[in-house]
Amino acid sequence: MTRLLITGAASGVGRATALLAAREPAPRLVLVDRNADALADVARQASDLGADVSVFTADLADPNDCVAAVATARQQLGGRISRAARVAVAAAAVGEVAASAAAERGACRCAAARTRAAQPLPPARPNR
């Protein structure tokens, strides 16, 4: 079963990824974007292709929205986000930086927040 958190899902590469993933056997997708209307349209299309789809409207330039999106994905996808989903999150972050030089600093901070939220660091070891 394919379980993915896809950011930027309302347009471009994110939309294409969502619709491609929807064609996999029994996919479960959490789609995230700040454009609620376009996101709803992509979710309907993915659902029509057979995907179990949840949506989360968020501005991923805000680190708090990044953390909330990952928490929602974990809840909707039944636990920890898979390695494949973390790769999708990181790939979307790279696309955000490339797409908007004006928002580059916010996208980079958000990429770091998504990475931390999707794969928390292990507890620190005490110094010996």
Side-chain angles (χ1 to χ4, degrees), residues 30-50:
V30 175
L31 307 179
V32 180
D33 202 281
R34 64 182 174 192
N35 183 335
D37 293 335
L39 185 61
D41 184 51
V42 173
R44 180 192 50 76
Q45 291 176 44
S47 183
D48 288 348
L49 291 169

Side-chain angles (χ1 to χ4, degrees), residues 4-26:
L4 292 174
L5 163 62
I6 302 172
T7 62
S11 64
V13 173
R15 180 181 183 280
T17 301
L19 296 177
L20 182 64
R23 291 177 169 84
E24 294 291 318

